[in-house]
Amino acid sequence: MLKNWINLSALWRIVVIGILAGAGLPALFAVGLRALSSDPRGGTLTDDDDRVVGGSPGGIAVAAVCFVVVLAAIGYGVYLIVKAS
Amino acid sequence: MGHDVSNDFVLVLVVITALAFDFTNGFHDTGNAMATSIATGALKPKVAVALSSVLNLVGAFLSLSVAATIASGLVQTKLVTLTVVFAGLAGGILWNLATWFLGIPSSSSHALIGGVVGSTLAAAGSHGVKWHGLVQKVIIPAGLSPLIAGGIAALGTFLVYRITRNVQGRARSHGFRLGQIGSASMVSLAHGTNDAQKTMGIITLALVANHTVPGGSKAPFWVILSCAVAISLGTYIGGWRVIRTLGKGLVEIDSPQGMAAESSSAAVILLSSHFGYSLSTTHVATGSILGSGVGRAGAQVRWRVAGRMATAWLLTLPAAGTVGALSYYAAHGIGGSAGVLVMFVVVAAASAAFFVRSRKTKVTSHNVNDEWTGAPAAQPRVPVAA
């Protein structure tokens, strides 16, 4: 029997939460980075400029929300590890 | 239970050997967390290993859930003697040093498990090993974890490139390099929570075998502290040979890929240890790095290097097991404390030999990022007139 060898309920949780945290958080970080670099005219930085901040207030706000969510998720993860032990 | 001074002597040798293993575990695995950050320039090599070292130390104190499984789930602990534990550690150390020398990121966990299973087999025969536990808790997770981590990293890489496709290149690299510092730190922390536990479990097993602590005990504080320090020091030494293979050998890696790979590794390692699977951080990290190459259109993935690693992974359990079994036969054949002492000297001498030989093709923080030439150890540098 497969279930004698693989704990399927643990497996699917590892996969699903793994996708949310392992791929979702970097994606959210990317959304933040994109928002942060958008310039006030609504486009994004395209010139030869290594500034990360584009200067659009809306973009900065969206970016802040994204980065806070990423940090909070990491903090919650560490909290769960500490609590479990 | 009569108290025997010679047993205490053997116990001291076993604890030293276990801490030595923990040290090799540290430098063998520095690359799992830091290789991509070093390769993309997110962190300077020395800063990367120092950061990883501190976070491993912290991580070792954070979680203690894996420590129990390693010993009790895999072998019949009541059949385990100090000589068995010692021989198992000898197998783990020698395999770790051999693969480090070749620059192959093989699993330290498998080296340790293989060694202990091998020496238990030699000492007690087949019934000493909990085969179902071994397959369920070690072998199946070892097969699945690189695939899961690789898939998540590939998805993450695809998403971050897709989302930031209009972001100017330099701004993007800069942003993701910052992100990488965070994600690599999480992998280091995860490594500490996961790998330091294994040596704690082994030393506790030895203490139980010597009746120093009763069966079913948790690791005493001095064990936790010394294991945390040993893995942290090993990490700080930096396994540059393995870092080089992971950072430069597998995939030409860019900072968005690095961040995606590390996020996937951290998530999979932490989730799995939460569910009590003592999986190999090396397998996860390697799977993630390969996935980050697959997820980016046009990225070069060196499947030959990956194939070499996979071969080493398949060999790790049986090879470390064989060395563990041979060490047991040798130590047991000589007998008593003298047997363990002789094998202790043999392992120390072999370790020194690996170290001396490695100086000929030295990989350091200075040449770790040199262009990949097909060999894990960099070619001697030809001075170029600048």
Side-chain angles (χ1 to χ4, degrees):
Chain A
M1 287 295 288
L2 186 66
K3 69 172 194 269
N4 286 337
W5 298 100
I6 301 179
N7 180 347
L8 288 173
S9 85
L11 180 66
W12 80 257
R13 276 185 234 179
I14 290 172
V15 170
V16 172
I17 306 172
I19 288 174
L20 288 176
L25 292 179
L28 196 60
F29 182 85
V31 171
L33 205 61
R34 180 180 175 170
L36 191 66
S37 71
S38 65
D39 73 12
R41 294 182 301 274
T44 53
L45 290 178
T46 48
D47 49 342
D48 249 3
D49 193 337
D50 58 1
R51 282 185 310 156
V52 176
V53 181
S56 144
I60 291 171
V62 171
V65 171
C66 289
F67 296 146
V68 165
V69 172
V70 170
L71 287 175
I74 292 170
Y76 183 63
V78 173
Y79 164 75
L80 286 182
I81 297 161
V82 176
K83 202 185 75 169
S85 63
Chain B
M1 199 62 58
H3 195 73
D4 190 340
V5 176
S6 74
N7 272 351
D8 285 348
F9 172 69
V10 174
L11 180 66
V12 169
L13 288 182
V14 169
V15 170
I16 294 171
T17 314
L19 293 175
F21 172 82
D22 208 23
F23 184 78
T24 69
N25 194 159
F27 72 73
H28 210 292
D29 291 4
T30 317
N32 294 344
M34 288 299 168
T36 68
S37 301
I38 291 171
T40 64
L43 286 166
K44 290 198 187 334
K46 287 282 190 186
V47 176
V49 295
L51 176 63
S52 185
S53 161
V54 170
L55 289 165
N56 264 284
L57 188 71
V58 174
F61 286 100
L62 277 187
S63 159
L64 300 171
S65 54
V66 180
T69 28
I70 185 126
S72 57
L74 304 177
V75 293
Q76 302 288 353
T77 44
K78 61 180 181 297
L79 298 175
V80 170
T81 63
L82 283 180
T83 311
V84 169
V85 176
F86 170 80
L89 287 164
I93 289 180
L94 292 178
W95 181 253
N96 253 1
L97 288 174
T99 48
W100 161 77
F101 176 70
L102 295 170
I104 299 172
S106 80
S107 165
S108 301
S109 321
H110 278 200
L112 179 62
I113 292 167
V116 171
V117 167
S119 62
T120 306
L121 268 178
S126 178
H127 71 284
V129 178
K130 296 180 178 170
W131 295 104
H132 184 265
L134 185 67
V135 173
Q136 188 195 30
K137 288 276 183 186
V138 177
I139 294 178
I140 291 177
L144 289 176
S145 61
L147 297 175
I148 295 172
I152 294 172
L155 178 65
T157 303
F158 173 79
L159 288 174
V160 296
Y161 274 99
R162 177 88 191 147
I163 291 165
T164 60
R165 68 190 183 285
N166 290 329
V167 178
Q168 197 270 335
R170 274 196 288 175
R172 184 172 71 181
S173 304
H174 187 75
F176 279 109
R177 279 206 291 269
L178 287 175
Q180 262 199 296
I181 298 173
S183 57
S185 297
M186 286 304 288
V187 183
S188 298
L189 196 68
H191 187 265
T193 64
N194 204 55
D195 278 38
Q197 313 296 317
K198 291 167 188 162
T199 312
M200 293 177 201
I202 289 295
I203 295 181
T204 309
L205 184 64
L207 293 174
V208 171
N210 196 41
H211 306 288
T212 309
V213 299
S217 295
K218 289 185 170 178
F221 180 74
W222 68 266
V223 173
I224 299 173
L225 179 67
S226 56
C227 288
V229 169
I231 203 165
S232 170
L233 285 177
T235 305
Y236 182 69
I237 293 296
W240 301 108
R241 305 173 90 85
V242 178
I243 292 174
R244 178 165 167 71
T245 306
L246 275 174
K248 300 296 284 184
L250 277 177
V251 176
E252 280 303 330
I253 210 157
D254 219 340
S255 56
Q257 289 166 287
M259 189 190 166
E262 287 149 10
S263 303
S264 165
S265 297
V268 171
I269 295 166
L270 289 174
L271 281 166
S272 305
S273 35
H274 179 71
F275 287 105
Y277 290 96
S278 61
L279 46 74
S280 161
T281 51
T282 307
H283 293 172
V284 172
T286 312
S288 293
I289 292 173
L290 282 172
S292 78
V294 171
R296 182 186 178 187
Q300 185 196 8
V301 180
R302 295 195 189 89
W303 292 106
R304 270 192 61 192
V305 179
R308 255 185 68 177
M309 280 179 201
T311 312
W313 294 356
L314 292 176
L315 288 176
T316 297
L317 283 171
T322 306
V323 180
L326 291 176
S327 306
Y328 178 80
Y329 286 130
H332 188 68
I334 299 166
S337 311
V340 174
L341 181 61
V342 167
M343 288 311 292
F344 181 83
V345 173
V346 168
V347 171
S351 307
F354 271 117
F355 177 72
V356 169
R357 178 63 186 79
S358 78
R359 313 275 299 176
K360 285 193 186 169
T361 51
K362 212 173 169 186
V363 182
T364 67
S365 59
H366 301 292
N367 63 356
V368 67
N369 274 342
D370 284 0
E371 204 56 37
W372 185 256
T373 51
Q379 301 303 312
R381 278 190 141 185
V382 183
V384 181

